[in-house]
Amino acid sequence: MDTEKQARKMYITYKSRINAAERLKKTNVFIQGINIYYSLFLTVLSIYSISTGTQRLSLVITVYSVVVTVTIVFLAAQNYGERAKSLKNNYVAIFKLYNKIYDGMSQDELRAICEEYNQLIDSSENHMEYDYFKACKEIPEEKSKLSIQQKVVLNSIYYGSILLKLVLIMLPFMLRYIVTVLEWLIKI
């Protein structure tokens, strides 16, 4: 076994797990924020509906509330916060193990470290390909090895997630147009 190769592998895994934990933590925070945002929006809309006595608006609010509730329950069940903590514990353990590797260590010592590393890998959920590509981009000697396709995947996911968040933020304001389209479709 090659000590340098194993150290490189462990370091990339460590960085990938950091990226995965951060991604999950940010997703958890975003979901909590969007939950509050949508709840406030529905509350304001409900008060407006009561004051105007509009039945159609009340029906839309009811449907919208059910969709938001089901979505939030589903997202909460994904346990993004707990998964982030688990990945953090895993990457900390991998880093401690990485620090045990040194030049000139015996093959038996390296084999034992590799075995412990494999156990750590098996004990945690794996990071996504995106997290791996991002880790490679952050490591100067690995960045040049990324293919154009990998860079496209990395950028597509990054900008796609920003676009999705913007759509989720703007969705309540697009509700009026969505209702108009639905009414038109129902008439057909």
Side-chain angles (χ1 to χ4, degrees):
M1 275 187 223
D2 182 9
T3 306
E4 189 177 314
K5 184 177 178 182
Q6 186 60 36
R8 177 186 158 274
K9 180 178 171 184
M10 289 173 73
Y11 188 72
I12 292 172
T13 303
Y14 160 73
K15 293 291 283 181
S16 298
R17 297 288 165 100
I18 288 174
N19 291 336
E22 288 300 311
R23 177 180 45 79
L24 290 173
K25 193 170 25 170
K26 286 177 183 176
T27 300
N28 189 50
V29 169
F30 179 77
I31 289 170
Q32 289 173 356
I34 209 81
N35 183 12
I36 293 167
Y37 174 72
Y38 276 70
S39 297
L40 287 172
F41 180 79
L42 286 171
T43 302
V44 169
L45 210 54
S46 296
I47 292 169
Y48 176 75
S49 171
I50 291 169
S51 68
T52 61
T54 310
Q55 275 189 322
R56 185 177 76 178
L57 184 58
S58 296
L59 178 63
V60 168
I61 292 170
T62 303
V63 170
Y64 192 61
S65 294
V66 169
V67 169
V68 167
T69 301
V70 169
T71 303
I72 294 301
V73 167
F74 171 77
L75 291 173
Q78 301 304 308
N79 296 319
Y80 291 110
E82 289 300 315
R83 290 168 56 200
K85 286 178 190 174
S86 175
L87 278 166
K88 181 178 181 180
N89 291 337
N90 186 258
Y91 77 69
V92 167
I94 288 173
F95 192 68
K96 287 178 182 176
L97 195 58
Y98 167 78
N99 284 324
K100 290 181 182 180
I101 294 179
Y102 61 91
D103 283 334
M105 68 187 317
S106 73
Q107 287 297 309
D108 289 338
E109 290 173 312
L110 184 58
R111 202 176 340 275
I113 286 177
C114 289
E115 197 171 299
E116 191 175 342
Y117 169 73
N118 289 332
Q119 289 172 357
L120 285 171
I121 293 297
D122 290 342
S123 72
S124 176
E125 77 174 271
N126 201 7
H127 50 268
M128 291 176 53
E129 196 174 51
Y130 170 79
D131 303 313
Y132 170 75
F133 294 156
K134 187 175 176 191
C136 288
K137 185 179 176 185
E138 295 166 353
I139 302 169
E141 43 294 340
E142 298 298 322
K143 186 177 182 177
S144 62
K145 296 177 186 176
L146 284 173
S147 70
I148 292 173
Q149 293 164 327
Q150 292 168 329
K151 290 175 184 175
V152 167
V153 167
L154 184 63
N155 289 328
S156 297
I157 293 173
Y158 175 76
Y159 291 112
S161 68
I162 290 173
L163 182 62
L164 177 62
K165 288 174 183 174
L166 287 173
V167 167
L168 288 173
I169 291 168
M170 296 302 297
L171 190 61
F173 300 103
M174 296 185 291
L175 185 62
R176 177 178 170 201
Y177 302 106
I178 293 170
V179 169
T180 304
V181 169
L182 289 175
E183 287 176 339
W184 181 76
L185 289 173
I186 291 171
K187 288 180 185 177
I188 293 179

